[in-house]
Amino acid sequence: MPKKIVIIGGVAGGATAATRLRRLNEEDEIVLFEKGEYISFANCGLPYHVGGTIKNREDLLLQTVEGMSEQYNLDIRNFSEVTAINPLNKTVSVLNHQTKEIYTESFDKLIISTGAKAIVPPIEGLETAKNVFSLRNIPDMDQIKAYIEKEKVKEATIVGGGFIGLEMMENLVDLGIQVNLVEMSSQVMPNIDFELAQILHAQINFHSVNLILNDGLKAFSKQGGELVLTSGKTLASDLTILSIGVSPESSLAKEAEIALGLRGAIQVNKQLETNYPDIYAIGDVIEVIDFVNQQPTIIPLAWPANRQGRLVADIINGIEANYPGTQGTSVAKVFELTAASTGNSEKTLQRLGIDYEGIHIHPNSHASYYPDASPIALKLLFAPDGKILGAQGVGTEGVEKRIDVISTAMKFGAKANELASIELAYAPPYSSAKDPVNMLGYTADNLLNHKVETFSWQEIPTLIEKDAYLLDVRDEFELATGELPNSHVIPLAKLRDRLDDLPKDQTIYVYCQVGLRGYNAARILMQHGFSVKNLDGGFKTYKQANYRLSAPKTILGKNKNHNAASVEAGQMISIDACGLQCPGPILKVKEAIDQMNDGELLEIQASDFGFVADIEAWCKNTGNTLVENQLNGSKVVAKIIKGIPSSNQMPIHSLPAEGVLHETKNGATMVVFSGDLDKALASMIIASGAAAMGKEVTIFFTFWGLSILKKQKIKKRGLAKMFDIMLPNGATSLPISQMNMMGLGSKMIQTVMKQKNVDSLPVMIEKASKLGVKFVACTMSMDIMGIDRSELFDFVEYGGVATYLGDSEQSNLNLFI
């Protein structure tokens, strides 16, 4: 008997369900309601039409109402908004926006595919702002594009660093617009972990985007022409795109008393049916089960919506099917980089208390000897029994291919070490004989079968604080690009000859550049009776994780506001280091420089974007002059003069300080040992003044000084609770060093400060952070006194004496308070 099937929503899942329903049954009556003008459009392509990559607007319209209606014999009613659902009577109320007619439509089966809506929080000044947009559909895209062209937008702000925010950022930059990107958390792209997101931060920085992390939008002023951030910072903006996120568009379901779950998403069973028989829901509007951890979640992506659309059509037609959950496999383009992931991130696993192992590798996208090979940063997460929990990758080529392979392996239950046995297509232009996926499998196998123990980049500050034995097995020339403090250096080739120099009464923490030589060193040492751990992912992972944002113009020669003249040099030598694994490019530079005369010019190309920071550090530490360091497509091009050049060899441009990189001591460091209010005030005044004068300021808080950094009180036990009782609860509760009078003296000072319009200590601390002052909490003191990181301000960094000493080496002002 023919059925009448009504579908609410004609994009992605709804359109897929409609066409599949017709292919399965020619007799059913299928009615599709879409409140907007367009159906089945490519919403993932919207940013690329704004930026001009997709030239023709019509290319985004995958189906027209007329074409789809005729091809599939569907009753498609656009401009028709379903305003109510009556589950018991099996009817929906519909408003025709063109005729203003309101009518009722019956159904035998109902599919809700209303998608998600952009989150627009109640922001002060938004109602009067004329230049604020979000991007969810074709009309949004048209408005943004028209506004940019009409108002000649020169500076824009993106609020939110998710998929749409990053895509809009890149496309606005392509239009020649100066872009600010404001993200409330510590990283963009929340589906990947921090150390991989840092690679994206560097690339965003390289393209002169003003990336602002750990800050949010508080208010609009000047009719949207100025943004006020939660930090108090203001930004001028001709155009603002709100890309804070999306929430399920489930208001219809809520009014119909259809069961809702996480963040208001519609709850469905494995057959995609709601709590009402014959009413189904699919796409971004529903709550799904996380395929990895089996917990309810919301994953608004195109693949799940389309898959659910097909499955719900099967289920309605009596075909046995179910939706087992969503892995969250995704990919995004961020300028020259591709970032992809599948499964759970490390953050998610930690939040859920799931045991896991993590590994990092840095293989090339294809055979290094074939032109244009480039490195990929890959991360694999797996359970102690080998179950794959998630994977992430960032690179310029072949990233999504590797994540897709791992996603497939996860789907069919492969273990992490079994990735080694997957037979993948190989030819030099496409891969290596041991594909990066295979390399992840071999690395996982070494861990699972106890061939090596590893330590992570997160553990390094604590190890330095505890004076652990760090063994660097890289070659001497690599040290100029950076090293861990107090490391013992024995190149791998000399390790067997110097075993007697190593301690057997403590663990040796070995590291190299990317982890491979460190593994080989660990195997040597383990077989000679040493206790040893290898740094997962090598120094490169640690260095990437500790990238620090700088002013938007980071790469020399990248600034669009000036043109550097060519360097006058007697001879220019060109070398190509593309495809070389680190430290290959630096080795090539060293070998070439060694053969050159002072004043001669070297040009080098590399395909590893990490080379930008490496070559800058190498030149700085070897007495050579970096005169150009920029991106050229998917390559880094650097020019180096051997030695310090004469004035007629210097690049002619407006920023000569960037031409010669040399060490300058213009920092200020302070150790704050005291927890007294007057001394804390003094330290903030000095630090803020120094930062305002352009100094790089580091304040190292230890023992009683840690009380200054407390933002909240948490529950504790044992000795930690005793310390908590004895110590102040934060900056507002500090005593003074003289005449405290059981707290009265402190209150008197705070009262006078308020009367004199002097900022309170917490406000001073926040303002100092905004000025760029680096706050470092001593991890050893925290351990002794039972202070937890969650008690302290979010901007506080964590380290030990080595962190302080490293900064003090660049300081011409050093105080102990």
Side-chain angles (χ1 to χ4, degrees):
M1 181 177 176
K3 305 178 290 296
K4 183 176 182 180
I5 304 168
V6 168
I7 304 170
I8 308 174
V11 183
T16 298
T19 55
R20 176 68 171 172
L21 283 165
R22 176 57 71 221
R23 284 191 292 266
L24 293 175
N25 192 314
E26 274 289 308
E27 303 300 321
D28 287 344
E29 180 183 357
I30 302 169
V31 183
L32 189 153
F33 291 108
E34 170 54 50
K35 68 178 179 180
E37 179 179 358
Y38 304 99
I39 60 164
S40 191
F41 61 86
N43 49 5
C44 296
L46 301 180
Y48 297 100
H49 180 60
V50 172
T53 301
I54 298 173
K55 304 294 183 185
N56 298 318
R57 178 179 180 274
E58 290 71 25
D59 291 345
L60 298 172
L61 305 176
L62 306 179
Q63 288 277 7
T64 64
V65 172
E66 296 77 13
M68 190 168 164
S69 297
E70 183 177 350
Q71 181 178 353
Y72 292 98
N73 188 26
L74 302 173
D75 182 359
I76 301 177
R77 306 179 196 177
N78 60 341
F79 297 110
S80 297
E81 181 179 0
V82 174
T83 58
I85 300 170
N86 189 322
L88 300 180
N89 294 338
K90 287 193 171 183
T91 61
V92 295
S93 300
V94 184
L95 167 63
N96 185 315
H97 284 287
Q98 292 180 309
T99 65
K100 307 305 178 185
E101 175 192 5
I102 298 175
Y103 62 94
T104 299
E105 194 77 36
S106 63
F107 62 83
D108 297 315
K109 306 282 185 179
L110 176 68
I111 301 172
I112 303 171
S113 183
T114 46
K117 58 186 176 183
I119 295 174
V120 182
I123 302 170
E124 180 184 343
L126 177 60
E127 65 280 357
T128 59
K130 308 298 183 185
N131 61 346
V132 181
F133 303 89
S134 57
L135 181 61
R136 289 293 297 168
N137 52 42
I138 297 285
D140 291 343
M141 177 192 73
D142 291 340
Q143 290 178 29
I144 293 169
K145 193 170 176 63
Y147 189 88
I148 290 171
E149 293 171 357
K150 180 183 177 182
E151 301 298 329
K152 311 298 182 188
V153 170
K154 291 182 172 59
E155 184 169 6
T157 301
I158 311 293
V159 182
F163 289 104
I164 296 295
L166 292 174
E167 290 164 357
M168 280 303 302
M169 170 198 71
E170 179 177 350
N171 281 279
L172 292 179
V173 168
D174 286 347
L175 292 174
I177 297 171
Q178 175 59 50
V179 177
N180 308 303
L181 177 61
V182 180
E183 169 54 51
M184 187 176 291
S185 75
S186 62
Q187 67 170 82
V188 300
M189 195 164 287
N191 53 298
I192 65 175
D193 288 313
F194 179 75
E195 69 274 22
L196 270 72
Q198 283 279 61
I199 305 172
L200 303 182
H201 297 161
Q203 202 73 3
I204 292 167
N205 222 173
F206 293 167
H207 283 271
S208 299
V209 172
N210 181 24
L211 177 58
I212 302 170
L213 300 172
N214 296 302
D215 210 344
L217 175 60
K218 181 180 180 182
F220 290 102
S221 63
K222 300 180 181 179
Q223 293 187 312
E226 184 177 81
L227 280 65
V228 181
L229 305 185
T230 52
S231 63
K233 183 177 181 179
T234 59
L235 295 173
S237 187
D238 303 324
L239 167 76
T240 298
I241 307 291
L242 295 181
S243 183
I244 299 169
V246 296
S247 62
E249 180 58 277
S250 58
S251 54
L252 275 176
K254 182 179 181 181
E255 291 167 5
E257 297 185 350
I258 293 172
L260 305 181
L262 191 66
R263 298 202 301 274
I266 297 174
Q267 288 184 332
V268 295
N269 59 23
K270 287 189 176 183
Q271 280 67 48
L272 301 166
E273 192 173 31
T274 69
N275 57 315
Y276 283 98
D278 299 325
I279 298 181
Y280 302 84
I282 59 174
D284 295 353
V285 74
I286 70 169
E287 174 187 277
V288 297
I289 295 300
D290 186 302
F291 179 81
V292 175
N293 61 53
Q294 295 299 300
Q295 298 297 310
T297 188
I298 300 173
I299 303 179
L301 293 171
W303 185 91
N306 281 280
R307 176 62 178 158
Q308 292 156 14
R310 180 183 175 92
L311 288 177
V312 76
D314 289 354
I315 291 163
I316 287 173
N317 279 278
I319 299 172
E320 188 174 337
N322 66 75
Y323 186 71
T326 302
Q327 282 177 236
T329 307
S330 62
V331 65
K333 180 178 180 292
V334 183
F335 295 114
E336 296 80 11
L337 292 175
T338 298
S341 69
T342 188
N344 287 179
S345 66
E346 190 168 4
K347 297 186 296 287
T348 299
L349 297 174
Q350 289 175 347
R351 175 172 56 82
L352 296 175
I354 297 173
D355 290 338
Y356 67 93
E357 297 279 359
I359 55 175
H360 298 76
I361 63 172
H362 301 273
N364 271 334
S365 56
H366 59 248
S368 60
Y369 54 82
Y370 188 88
D372 298 329
S374 58
I376 304 174
L378 283 174
K379 179 176 184 178
L380 184 72
L381 298 160
F382 51 94
D385 66 356
K387 176 187 175 182
I388 302 173
L389 303 174
Q392 303 161 31
V394 176
T396 57
E397 179 187 281
V399 176
E400 73 287 353
K401 167 185 173 181
R402 274 69 192 209
I403 296 301
D404 284 344
V405 170
I406 297 169
S407 173
T408 305
M410 289 176 64
K411 191 72 173 180
F412 296 107
K415 303 287 188 177
N417 56 333
E418 291 176 328
L419 295 177
S421 64
I422 295 179
E423 186 175 345
L424 299 170
Y426 160 62
Y430 305 106
S431 184
S432 300
K434 286 187 287 190
D435 189 87
V437 173
N438 300 139
M439 294 304 300
L440 282 171
Y442 291 128
T443 306
D445 184 71
N446 289 333
L447 271 182
L448 291 169
N449 289 297
H450 312 292
K451 296 292 189 297
V452 70
E453 290 186 61
T454 60
F455 65 105
S456 71
W457 64 268
Q458 295 101 320
E459 297 176 64
I460 289 175
T462 301
L463 293 173
I464 293 172
E465 176 67 29
K466 293 180 177 178
D467 197 27
Y469 194 95
L470 297 170
L471 177 60
D472 187 342
V473 296
R474 296 176 298 166
D475 291 321
E476 295 282 350
F477 73 88
E478 298 176 68
L479 306 184
T481 65
E483 60 181 322
L484 299 180
N486 304 321
S487 293
H488 304 266
V489 180
I490 304 178
L492 178 61
K494 300 178 182 178
L495 185 60
R496 290 183 178 88
D497 298 330
R498 295 184 56 184
L499 295 177
D500 292 341
D501 296 345
L502 300 174
K504 282 199 171 181
D505 59 347
Q506 64 182 116
T507 299
I508 297 172
Y509 294 89
V510 65
Y511 71 95
C512 65
Q513 195 66 20
V514 296
L516 180 58
R517 285 173 290 171
Y519 169 69
N520 290 335
R523 290 300 304 157
I524 292 169
L525 295 175
M526 289 171 67
Q527 293 176 78
H528 283 85
F530 291 92
S531 172
V532 60
K533 291 186 178 183
N534 180 37
L535 176 57
D536 169 47
F539 183 75
K540 185 172 185 176
T541 298
Y542 171 79
K543 190 172 181 179
Q544 287 172 340
N546 285 277
Y547 175 80
R548 297 191 71 174
L549 288 172
S550 61
K553 180 182 57 56
T554 298
I555 299 186
L556 308 189
K558 183 65 181 174
N559 191 344
K560 298 174 184 176
N561 298 322
H562 69 83
N563 293 312
S566 61
V567 177
E568 297 177 12
Q571 179 182 359
M572 186 170 81
I573 299 170
S574 295
I575 57 176
D576 187 347
C578 292
L580 293 183
Q581 286 273 20
C582 191
I586 289 295
L587 177 58
K588 280 241 182 184
V589 171
K590 179 185 181 300
E591 290 173 344
I593 289 286
D594 286 347
Q595 301 300 315
M596 291 166 57
N597 298 316
D598 284 351
E600 290 183 336
L601 180 66
L602 172 69
E603 180 186 74
I604 181 167
Q605 296 185 43
S607 52
D608 182 356
F609 292 129
F611 183 70
V612 169
D614 285 347
I615 193 61
E616 187 170 327
W618 188 87
C619 288
K620 180 178 178 180
N621 290 307
T622 57
N624 295 292
T625 305
L626 183 64
V627 293
E628 187 175 301
N629 192 16
Q630 64 181 1
L631 297 181
N632 184 1
S634 59
K635 298 177 182 178
V636 176
V637 179
K639 291 182 180 178
I640 305 156
I641 294 176
K642 180 170 180 177
I644 304 297
S646 59
S647 59
N648 69 329
Q649 292 175 313
M650 290 300 296
I652 305 169
H653 57 70
S654 60
L655 298 172
E658 289 186 345
V660 182
L661 295 177
H662 55 87
E663 183 174 328
T664 58
K665 293 191 175 182
N666 189 34
T669 52
M670 284 187 267
V671 176
V672 178
F673 178 84
S674 170
D676 294 330
L677 174 63
D678 44 341
K679 295 176 182 177
L681 289 168
S683 66
M684 287 307 110
I685 292 168
I686 296 169
S688 298
M693 292 174 62
K695 289 183 178 290
E696 295 184 4
V697 183
T698 297
I699 313 180
F700 184 71
F701 293 83
T702 185
F703 285 99
W704 322 119
L706 289 167
S707 297
I708 299 168
L709 300 181
K710 289 185 177 181
K711 68 173 182 179
Q712 64 182 5
K713 192 177 178 69
I714 65 172
K715 290 184 178 180
K716 298 182 181 179
R717 295 179 179 177
L719 289 174
K721 185 174 182 179
M722 294 293 292
F723 272 113
D724 211 32
I725 293 170
M726 294 185 290
L727 292 172
N729 292 328
T732 58
S733 306
L734 302 179
I736 57 174
S737 58
Q738 303 291 329
M739 299 183 299
N740 187 50
M741 297 179 288
M742 300 183 68
L744 182 60
S746 175
K747 286 184 170 55
M748 288 171 59
I749 285 183
Q750 293 179 55
T751 301
V752 172
M753 288 170 64
K754 189 173 182 180
Q755 291 172 348
K756 300 294 184 181
N757 203 28
V758 176
D759 287 333
S760 66
L761 179 56
V763 173
M764 284 187 180
I765 292 170
E766 294 276 3
K767 286 188 174 181
S769 174
K770 291 165 197 169
L771 282 169
V773 174
K774 179 179 173 182
F775 290 76
V776 180
C778 174
T779 51
M780 183 193 72
S781 300
M782 291 174 65
D783 286 343
I784 291 173
M785 301 172 73
I787 295 176
D788 190 84
R789 295 187 181 194
S790 63
E791 295 179 71
L792 307 186
F793 287 110
D794 294 336
F795 51 75
V796 172
E797 300 179 30
Y798 300 91
V801 173
T803 304
Y804 161 69
L805 292 176
D807 288 347
S808 68
E809 287 179 1
Q810 302 301 317
S811 170
N812 59 12
L813 173 65
N814 193 16
L815 301 175
F816 189 94
I817 298 176

